[in-house]
């Protein structure tokens, strides 16, 4: 399986939220399965990519060090970051973990256009799980992403810990039992 972390590092994430986001990314990277591949995208006014290709789990420590060396600044280019993540999807089932505390303020900012752009870029084997941090999150956008990309979403209040929420979800999805199941009974397919 492939995992792509897309983490908001805009200026509004500065402080405790950025520390928690880095801790969440580090947790996921430290708990990859041996045969997983991964990448990390950090976004603000633009986006920074750990690698130009999906990396083997053996490179996770290097990625964690890279994430922990970054700081929060700039605006919020959600469209650019997520379309970049979707462009990385290859043949394997891909889980995108998207962490943000805000609304789009850079690049494309219209929610309907962002959703349309994501739907146009998305292959069938990608799922997006969202984590909204704080009280200023664009819930319409995040709920639409979860609906359209067969994921689930969580919202974390300012007093709650985003790293714990991401760790909890990642533990649940790290070893799926069944995915994309179909059932046929006496000529009926479900």
């Amino acid at each position: 399986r492939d995992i792509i972390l897309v983490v908001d590092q805009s200026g509004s994430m500065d402080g405790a939220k950025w520390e928690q986001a880095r801790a969440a990314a580090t947790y996921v990277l430290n708990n990859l399965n041996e045969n997983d591949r991964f990448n990390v995208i950090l976004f603000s006014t633009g986006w920074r990519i750990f690698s130009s290709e999906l990396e083997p789990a053996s490179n996770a420590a290097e990625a964690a060090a890279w994430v922990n060396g970054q700081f929060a600044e700039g605006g919020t280019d959600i469209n650019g970051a997520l379309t970049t993540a979707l462009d990385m999807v290859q043949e394997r089932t891909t889980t995108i973990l998207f962490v943000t505390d805000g609304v789009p303020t850079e690049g494309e900012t219209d929610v309907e256009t962002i959703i349309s752009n994501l739907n146009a870029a998305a292959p069938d084997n990608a799922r997006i799980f969202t984590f909204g941090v704080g009280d200023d999150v664009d819930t319409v956008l995040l709920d639409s992403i979860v609906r359209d990309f067969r994921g689930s979403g969580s919202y974390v209040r300012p007093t709650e810990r985003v790293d714990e929420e991401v760790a909890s979800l990642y533990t649940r999805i790290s070893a799926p039992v069944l995915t994309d199941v179909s059932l046929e009974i006496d000529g009926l397919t479900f």
Side-chain angles (χ1 to χ4, degrees):
R1 174 187 62 163
D2 294 338
I3 305 287
I4 302 172
L5 293 157
V6 181
V7 182
D8 185 346
Q9 76 170 128
S10 63
S12 61
M13 289 287 287
D14 193 31
K17 288 189 277 188
W18 181 235
E19 294 302 319
Q20 289 183 20
R22 290 193 296 192
T26 300
Y27 176 87
V28 171
L29 292 166
N30 287 339
N31 287 282
L32 293 171
N33 295 320
E34 181 181 346
N35 294 320
D36 288 346
R37 296 183 301 188
F38 76 93
N39 210 338
V40 181
I41 300 171
L42 302 178
F43 71 98
S44 57
T45 301
W47 54 95
R48 282 142 298 292
I49 303 170
F50 172 69
S51 176
S52 61
E53 59 190 21
L54 293 170
E55 294 288 326
S58 59
N59 292 345
E62 183 182 345
W66 177 75
V67 168
N68 285 301
Q70 305 294 320
F71 57 93
E73 67 175 348
T76 308
D77 189 347
I78 290 172
N79 183 75
L82 284 175
T83 55
T84 298
L86 290 167
D87 286 345
M88 291 180 184
V89 175
Q90 297 177 7
E91 73 284 349
R92 297 204 273 188
T93 299
T94 302
T95 300
I96 297 172
L97 301 176
F98 177 57
V99 180
T100 186
D101 77 335
V103 298
T105 61
E106 299 286 337
E108 181 57 62
T109 59
D110 179 70
V111 170
E112 289 181 21
T113 303
I114 292 171
I115 295 299
S116 178
N117 291 344
L118 297 178
N119 281 315
D124 291 337
N125 59 332
R127 296 179 71 191
I128 302 176
F129 295 82
T130 64
F131 298 90
V133 183
D135 293 326
D136 298 327
V137 177
D138 189 332
T139 58
V140 171
L141 175 60
L142 296 186
D143 290 347
S144 297
I145 290 170
V146 166
R147 178 198 66 225
D148 290 358
F149 296 97
R150 303 174 328 276
S152 67
S154 297
Y155 293 99
V156 181
R157 301 295 309 235
T159 57
E160 298 173 323
R161 300 202 40 145
V162 67
D163 54 340
E164 292 174 355
E165 192 70 29
V166 171
S168 175
L169 172 76
Y170 186 73
T171 300
R172 289 192 319 265
I173 67 170
S174 63
V177 177
L178 297 172
T179 59
D180 300 323
V181 176
S182 65
L183 177 65
E184 187 172 328
I185 299 174
D186 296 326
L188 300 173
T189 302
F190 300 92

Short mmCIF file of all heavy atoms in Angstrom, two decimals, residues 116-167:
data_model
loop_
_atom_site.label_atom_id
_atom_site.label_comp_id
_atom_site.label_asym_id
_atom_site.label_seq_id
_atom_site.Cartn_x
_atom_site.Cartn_y
_atom_site.Cartn_z
N SER A 116 -13.93 19.92 -7.94
CA SER A 116 -13.93 19.53 -9.35
C SER A 116 -12.52 19.15 -9.81
O SER A 116 -12.32 18.14 -10.49
CB SER A 116 -14.49 20.67 -10.20
OG SER A 116 -14.44 20.33 -11.56
N ASN A 117 -11.53 19.94 -9.43
CA ASN A 117 -10.14 19.65 -9.79
C ASN A 117 -9.67 18.32 -9.19
O ASN A 117 -8.98 17.54 -9.85
CB ASN A 117 -9.21 20.77 -9.32
CG ASN A 117 -9.41 22.06 -10.08
OD1 ASN A 117 -10.02 22.08 -11.14
ND2 ASN A 117 -8.89 23.15 -9.53
N LEU A 118 -10.04 18.07 -7.94
CA LEU A 118 -9.65 16.81 -7.29
C LEU A 118 -10.32 15.63 -7.98
O LEU A 118 -9.67 14.60 -8.22
CB LEU A 118 -10.01 16.84 -5.81
CG LEU A 118 -9.29 17.90 -4.96
CD1 LEU A 118 -9.77 17.84 -3.52
CD2 LEU A 118 -7.79 17.74 -5.05
N ASN A 119 -11.61 15.75 -8.28
CA ASN A 119 -12.31 14.66 -8.96
C ASN A 119 -11.71 14.38 -10.33
O ASN A 119 -11.63 13.22 -10.75
CB ASN A 119 -13.80 14.96 -9.07
CG ASN A 119 -14.53 14.68 -7.77
OD1 ASN A 119 -14.31 13.66 -7.14
ND2 ASN A 119 -15.37 15.60 -7.35
N ALA A 120 -11.27 15.41 -11.03
CA ALA A 120 -10.66 15.24 -12.35
C ALA A 120 -9.30 14.55 -12.25
O ALA A 120 -8.91 13.80 -13.14
CB ALA A 120 -10.52 16.59 -13.06
N ALA A 121 -8.58 14.79 -11.15
CA ALA A 121 -7.22 14.26 -10.99
C ALA A 121 -7.18 12.89 -10.33
O ALA A 121 -6.16 12.21 -10.38
CB ALA A 121 -6.38 15.23 -10.17
N ALA A 122 -8.27 12.46 -9.72
CA ALA A 122 -8.23 11.30 -8.83
C ALA A 122 -8.40 9.97 -9.56
O ALA A 122 -9.40 9.74 -10.23
CB ALA A 122 -9.32 11.42 -7.77
N PRO A 123 -7.46 9.08 -9.37
CA PRO A 123 -7.65 7.70 -9.84
C PRO A 123 -8.56 6.95 -8.87
O PRO A 123 -8.75 7.37 -7.73
CB PRO A 123 -6.23 7.12 -9.83
CG PRO A 123 -5.40 8.05 -9.02
CD PRO A 123 -6.13 9.33 -8.86
N ASP A 124 -9.11 5.84 -9.32
CA ASP A 124 -10.06 5.07 -8.51
C ASP A 124 -9.43 4.44 -7.27
O ASP A 124 -10.15 4.07 -6.34
CB ASP A 124 -10.70 3.96 -9.35
CG ASP A 124 -11.65 4.52 -10.39
OD1 ASP A 124 -12.13 5.66 -10.22
OD2 ASP A 124 -11.89 3.82 -11.39
N ASN A 125 -8.12 4.26 -7.25
CA ASN A 125 -7.48 3.56 -6.13
C ASN A 125 -6.96 4.50 -5.04
O ASN A 125 -6.15 4.11 -4.22
CB ASN A 125 -6.35 2.67 -6.64
CG ASN A 125 -5.28 3.44 -7.38
OD1 ASN A 125 -5.55 4.48 -7.97
ND2 ASN A 125 -4.06 2.92 -7.37
N ALA A 126 -7.44 5.74 -5.03
CA ALA A 126 -7.03 6.70 -4.00
C ALA A 126 -8.16 6.97 -3.03
O ALA A 126 -9.31 7.16 -3.44
CB ALA A 126 -6.58 8.02 -4.65
N ARG A 127 -7.83 7.00 -1.75
CA ARG A 127 -8.77 7.37 -0.70
C ARG A 127 -8.15 8.51 0.09
O ARG A 127 -6.95 8.50 0.35
CB ARG A 127 -9.06 6.19 0.22
CG ARG A 127 -9.76 5.05 -0.51
CD ARG A 127 -10.03 3.88 0.38
NE ARG A 127 -11.08 4.24 1.32
CZ ARG A 127 -11.41 3.52 2.37
NH1 ARG A 127 -10.79 2.40 2.64
NH2 ARG A 127 -12.37 3.92 3.18
N ILE A 128 -8.98 9.48 0.49
CA ILE A 128 -8.48 10.62 1.25
C ILE A 128 -9.17 10.67 2.61
O ILE A 128 -10.40 10.65 2.69
CB ILE A 128 -8.70 11.95 0.50
CG1 ILE A 128 -8.02 11.92 -0.87
CG2 ILE A 128 -8.17 13.13 1.33
CD1 ILE A 128 -8.27 13.15 -1.72
N PHE A 129 -8.36 10.76 3.65
CA PHE A 129 -8.83 10.89 5.02
C PHE A 129 -8.42 12.27 5.49
O PHE A 129 -7.27 12.68 5.32
CB PHE A 129 -8.19 9.82 5.91
CG PHE A 129 -8.62 8.43 5.53
CD1 PHE A 129 -7.99 7.76 4.48
CD2 PHE A 129 -9.65 7.80 6.20
CE1 PHE A 129 -8.39 6.48 4.12
CE2 PHE A 129 -10.06 6.52 5.84
CZ PHE A 129 -9.42 5.86 4.80
N THR A 130 -9.36 13.03 6.07
CA THR A 130 -9.10 14.42 6.45
C THR A 130 -9.08 14.60 7.96
O THR A 130 -9.79 13.91 8.70
CB THR A 130 -10.15 15.37 5.85
OG1 THR A 130 -11.43 15.06 6.41
CG2 THR A 130 -10.21 15.25 4.33
N PHE A 131 -8.27 15.56 8.38
CA PHE A 131 -8.19 15.96 9.78
C PHE A 131 -8.24 17.47 9.83
O PHE A 131 -7.30 18.15 9.42
CB PHE A 131 -6.88 15.46 10.41
CG PHE A 131 -6.77 13.97 10.40
CD1 PHE A 131 -6.18 13.33 9.32
CD2 PHE A 131 -7.30 13.22 11.42
CE1 PHE A 131 -6.11 11.96 9.27
CE2 PHE A 131 -7.24 11.84 11.38
CZ PHE A 131 -6.64 11.20 10.30
N GLY A 132 -9.36 18.00 10.28
CA GLY A 132 -9.53 19.44 10.44
C GLY A 132 -9.12 19.84 11.84
O GLY A 132 -9.60 19.27 12.81
N VAL A 133 -8.23 20.81 11.93
CA VAL A 133 -7.67 21.22 13.22
C VAL A 133 -8.15 22.62 13.56
O VAL A 133 -7.95 23.55 12.78
CB VAL A 133 -6.13 21.20 13.16
CG1 VAL A 133 -5.54 21.55 14.51
CG2 VAL A 133 -5.62 19.85 12.68
N GLY A 134 -8.79 22.79 14.70
CA GLY A 134 -9.20 24.12 15.14
C GLY A 134 -10.62 24.46 14.75
O GLY A 134 -11.38 23.62 14.25
N ASP A 135 -10.98 25.72 14.96
CA ASP A 135 -12.35 26.18 14.75
C ASP A 135 -12.59 26.87 13.41
O ASP A 135 -13.72 27.20 13.08
CB ASP A 135 -12.75 27.14 15.88
CG ASP A 135 -12.84 26.44 17.22
OD1 ASP A 135 -13.25 25.26 17.24
OD2 ASP A 135 -12.49 27.07 18.23
N ASP A 136 -11.54 27.11 12.62
CA ASP A 136 -11.68 27.87 11.39
C ASP A 136 -11.58 26.99 10.14
O ASP A 136 -11.30 27.48 9.05
CB ASP A 136 -10.59 28.95 11.32
CG ASP A 136 -10.73 29.94 12.46
OD1 ASP A 136 -11.87 30.20 12.87
OD2 ASP A 136 -9.70 30.45 12.93
N VAL A 137 -11.83 25.72 10.27
CA VAL A 137 -11.69 24.76 9.17
C VAL A 137 -12.87 24.89 8.21
O VAL A 137 -14.01 25.12 8.63
CB VAL A 137 -11.62 23.33 9.73
CG1 VAL A 137 -11.55 22.30 8.63
CG2 VAL A 137 -10.44 23.19 10.66
N ASP A 138 -12.60 24.73 6.92
CA ASP A 138 -13.66 24.73 5.91
C ASP A 138 -14.31 23.34 5.91
O ASP A 138 -13.89 22.43 5.19
CB ASP A 138 -13.08 25.06 4.54
CG ASP A 138 -14.15 25.27 3.49
OD1 ASP A 138 -15.24 24.68 3.61
OD2 ASP A 138 -13.88 26.02 2.53
N THR A 139 -15.33 23.16 6.74
CA THR A 139 -15.96 21.85 6.90
C THR A 139 -16.66 21.40 5.62
O THR A 139 -16.71 20.20 5.34
CB THR A 139 -16.96 21.85 8.07
OG1 THR A 139 -17.94 22.85 7.84
CG2 THR A 139 -16.25 22.09 9.39
N VAL A 140 -17.19 22.32 4.84
CA VAL A 140 -17.83 21.94 3.57
C VAL A 140 -16.81 21.28 2.65
O VAL A 140 -17.06 20.23 2.07
CB VAL A 140 -18.49 23.17 2.89
CG1 VAL A 140 -18.96 22.82 1.49
CG2 VAL A 140 -19.63 23.70 3.74
N LEU A 141 -15.65 21.88 2.55
CA LEU A 141 -14.59 21.32 1.70
C LEU A 141 -14.14 19.96 2.22
O LEU A 141 -14.10 18.99 1.46
CB LEU A 141 -13.40 22.29 1.64
CG LEU A 141 -12.17 21.78 0.88
CD1 LEU A 141 -12.50 21.48 -0.57
CD2 LEU A 141 -11.04 22.79 0.99
N LEU A 142 -13.82 19.86 3.50
CA LEU A 142 -13.33 18.59 4.04
C LEU A 142 -14.38 17.49 3.97
O LEU A 142 -14.07 16.34 3.62
CB LEU A 142 -12.82 18.77 5.46
CG LEU A 142 -11.61 19.69 5.63
CD1 LEU A 142 -11.12 19.67 7.07
CD2 LEU A 142 -10.50 19.35 4.67
N ASP A 143 -15.62 17.81 4.27
CA ASP A 143 -16.69 16.80 4.19
C ASP A 143 -16.91 16.35 2.75
O ASP A 143 -17.18 15.17 2.49
CB ASP A 143 -17.99 17.34 4.78
CG ASP A 143 -17.93 17.51 6.30
OD1 ASP A 143 -16.99 16.99 6.93
OD2 ASP A 143 -18.82 18.18 6.84
N SER A 144 -16.78 17.26 1.80
CA SER A 144 -16.92 16.90 0.37
C SER A 144 -15.78 15.99 -0.07
O SER A 144 -16.00 15.02 -0.82
CB SER A 144 -16.94 18.15 -0.50
OG SER A 144 -18.06 18.95 -0.20
N ILE A 145 -14.57 16.27 0.39
CA ILE A 145 -13.42 15.41 0.05
C ILE A 145 -13.64 14.01 0.58
O ILE A 145 -13.44 13.02 -0.13
CB ILE A 145 -12.12 16.03 0.59
CG1 ILE A 145 -11.77 17.31 -0.19
CG2 ILE A 145 -10.97 15.03 0.53
CD1 ILE A 145 -10.64 18.12 0.42
N VAL A 146 -14.04 13.89 1.83
CA VAL A 146 -14.28 12.58 2.44
C VAL A 146 -15.36 11.82 1.68
O VAL A 146 -15.21 10.64 1.37
CB VAL A 146 -14.67 12.75 3.93
CG1 VAL A 146 -15.25 11.48 4.50
CG2 VAL A 146 -13.46 13.19 4.73
N ARG A 147 -16.44 12.50 1.33
CA ARG A 147 -17.54 11.87 0.60
C ARG A 147 -17.08 11.37 -0.76
O ARG A 147 -17.34 10.23 -1.13
CB ARG A 147 -18.68 12.87 0.45
CG ARG A 147 -19.88 12.32 -0.34
CD ARG A 147 -20.78 13.43 -0.85
NE ARG A 147 -20.06 14.22 -1.85
CZ ARG A 147 -20.05 15.56 -1.88
NH1 ARG A 147 -20.72 16.26 -1.00
NH2 ARG A 147 -19.37 16.20 -2.81
N ASP A 148 -16.38 12.21 -1.50
CA ASP A 148 -15.99 11.87 -2.86
C ASP A 148 -14.84 10.87 -2.95
O ASP A 148 -14.70 10.19 -3.97
CB ASP A 148 -15.60 13.14 -3.63
CG ASP A 148 -16.79 14.04 -3.93
OD1 ASP A 148 -17.93 13.67 -3.58
OD2 ASP A 148 -16.57 15.13 -4.49
N PHE A 149 -14.04 10.77 -1.90
CA PHE A 149 -12.85 9.92 -1.97
C PHE A 149 -12.84 8.80 -0.95
O PHE A 149 -11.79 8.34 -0.53
CB PHE A 149 -11.59 10.79 -1.86
CG PHE A 149 -11.48 11.72 -3.02
CD1 PHE A 149 -11.91 13.03 -2.90
CD2 PHE A 149 -11.01 11.29 -4.24
CE1 PHE A 149 -11.85 13.90 -3.98
CE2 PHE A 149 -10.94 12.15 -5.32
CZ PHE A 149 -11.37 13.45 -5.19
N ARG A 150 -14.05 8.35 -0.53
CA ARG A 150 -14.24 7.15 0.27
C ARG A 150 -13.34 7.08 1.50
O ARG A 150 -12.82 6.03 1.86
CB ARG A 150 -14.04 5.90 -0.60
CG ARG A 150 -14.95 5.85 -1.79
CD ARG A 150 -14.69 4.70 -2.75
NE ARG A 150 -13.34 4.22 -2.90
CZ ARG A 150 -12.41 4.75 -3.70
NH1 ARG A 150 -12.67 5.79 -4.42
NH2 ARG A 150 -11.20 4.21 -3.77
N GLY A 151 -13.15 8.22 2.15
CA GLY A 151 -12.34 8.25 3.36
C GLY A 151 -13.20 8.47 4.57
O GLY A 151 -14.39 8.16 4.58
N SER A 152 -12.60 9.03 5.57
CA SER A 152 -13.35 9.48 6.74
C SER A 152 -12.68 10.76 7.23
O SER A 152 -11.54 11.03 6.89
CB SER A 152 -13.39 8.41 7.84
OG SER A 152 -12.12 8.20 8.39
N GLY A 153 -13.43 11.51 7.99
CA GLY A 153 -12.91 12.78 8.45
C GLY A 153 -13.03 12.91 9.95
O GLY A 153 -13.91 12.34 10.58
N SER A 154 -12.11 13.66 10.51
CA SER A 154 -12.12 13.97 11.94
C SER A 154 -11.87 15.45 12.11
O SER A 154 -11.15 16.07 11.32
CB SER A 154 -11.01 13.21 12.67
OG SER A 154 -11.21 11.83 12.58
N TYR A 155 -12.47 16.00 13.14
CA TYR A 155 -12.23 17.39 13.49
C TYR A 155 -11.68 17.42 14.90
O TYR A 155 -12.20 16.75 15.79
CB TYR A 155 -13.53 18.20 13.39
CG TYR A 155 -14.01 18.30 11.97
CD1 TYR A 155 -15.00 17.46 11.48
CD2 TYR A 155 -13.42 19.21 11.10
CE1 TYR A 155 -15.41 17.54 10.16
CE2 TYR A 155 -13.83 19.28 9.78
CZ TYR A 155 -14.82 18.45 9.31
OH TYR A 155 -15.21 18.53 8.00
N VAL A 156 -10.63 18.19 15.07
CA VAL A 156 -9.95 18.27 16.34
C VAL A 156 -10.05 19.69 16.85
O VAL A 156 -9.66 20.64 16.17
CB VAL A 156 -8.47 17.86 16.18
CG1 VAL A 156 -7.75 17.92 17.52
CG2 VAL A 156 -8.36 16.47 15.57
N ARG A 157 -10.62 19.85 18.02
CA ARG A 157 -10.77 21.17 18.64
C ARG A 157 -9.40 21.67 19.09
O ARG A 157 -8.47 20.89 19.25
CB ARG A 157 -11.70 21.07 19.85
CG ARG A 157 -13.11 20.56 19.57
CD ARG A 157 -13.88 21.49 18.69
NE ARG A 157 -13.83 22.84 19.21
CZ ARG A 157 -14.86 23.60 19.49
NH1 ARG A 157 -16.07 23.16 19.27
NH2 ARG A 157 -14.71 24.81 19.97
N PRO A 158 -9.26 22.98 19.31
CA PRO A 158 -7.96 23.52 19.71
C PRO A 158 -7.38 22.87 20.97
O PRO A 158 -6.18 22.81 21.14
CB PRO A 158 -8.25 25.00 19.95
CG PRO A 158 -9.42 25.30 19.09
CD PRO A 158 -10.26 24.04 19.09
N THR A 159 -8.25 22.38 21.85
CA THR A 159 -7.76 21.76 23.08
C THR A 159 -7.47 20.27 22.92
O THR A 159 -6.97 19.64 23.85
CB THR A 159 -8.81 21.94 24.20
OG1 THR A 159 -10.05 21.37 23.76
CG2 THR A 159 -9.00 23.41 24.54
N GLU A 160 -7.80 19.71 21.76
CA GLU A 160 -7.57 18.28 21.52
C GLU A 160 -6.26 18.08 20.76
O GLU A 160 -5.72 19.01 20.17
CB GLU A 160 -8.74 17.68 20.75
CG GLU A 160 -10.05 17.76 21.50
CD GLU A 160 -11.23 17.32 20.65
OE1 GLU A 160 -11.25 17.61 19.44
OE2 GLU A 160 -12.12 16.68 21.22
N ARG A 161 -5.81 16.84 20.69
CA ARG A 161 -4.52 16.54 20.08
C ARG A 161 -4.71 15.90 18.71
O ARG A 161 -5.23 14.81 18.60
CB ARG A 161 -3.73 15.62 20.98
CG ARG A 161 -3.49 16.30 22.34
CD ARG A 161 -2.35 15.74 23.03
NE ARG A 161 -1.26 15.46 22.14
CZ ARG A 161 0.01 15.60 22.49
NH1 ARG A 161 0.30 16.06 23.67
NH2 ARG A 161 0.97 15.29 21.66
N VAL A 162 -4.24 16.60 17.67
CA VAL A 162 -4.35 16.07 16.31
C VAL A 162 -3.46 14.85 16.13
O VAL A 162 -3.83 13.91 15.42
CB VAL A 162 -4.03 17.16 15.25
CG1 VAL A 162 -2.58 17.59 15.29
CG2 VAL A 162 -4.41 16.68 13.86
N ASP A 163 -2.31 14.81 16.79
CA ASP A 163 -1.42 13.67 16.62
C ASP A 163 -2.07 12.38 17.13
O ASP A 163 -1.93 11.31 16.52
CB ASP A 163 -0.06 13.90 17.28
CG ASP A 163 -0.14 14.31 18.75
OD1 ASP A 163 -1.21 14.78 19.20
OD2 ASP A 163 0.88 14.16 19.45
N GLU A 164 -2.81 12.47 18.21
CA GLU A 164 -3.50 11.29 18.73
C GLU A 164 -4.62 10.84 17.79
O GLU A 164 -4.83 9.64 17.60
CB GLU A 164 -4.06 11.57 20.12
CG GLU A 164 -2.97 11.75 21.17
CD GLU A 164 -3.50 12.17 22.53
OE1 GLU A 164 -4.72 12.44 22.66
OE2 GLU A 164 -2.68 12.26 23.46
N GLU A 165 -5.33 11.78 17.19
CA GLU A 165 -6.42 11.46 16.26
C GLU A 165 -5.87 10.78 15.00
O GLU A 165 -6.40 9.79 14.52
CB GLU A 165 -7.19 12.73 15.89
CG GLU A 165 -8.47 12.48 15.18
CD GLU A 165 -9.55 11.86 16.04
OE1 GLU A 165 -9.57 12.07 17.26
OE2 GLU A 165 -10.39 11.14 15.47
N VAL A 166 -4.76 11.31 14.47
CA VAL A 166 -4.13 10.71 13.29
C VAL A 166 -3.60 9.32 13.64
O VAL A 166 -3.79 8.37 12.87
CB VAL A 166 -3.01 11.61 12.74
CG1 VAL A 166 -2.22 10.90 11.65
CG2 VAL A 166 -3.59 12.91 12.20
N ALA A 167 -2.97 9.18 14.79
CA ALA A 167 -2.45 7.87 15.21
C ALA A 167 -3.57 6.85 15.34
O ALA A 167 -3.44 5.70 14.92
CB ALA A 167 -1.69 8.00 16.52
#
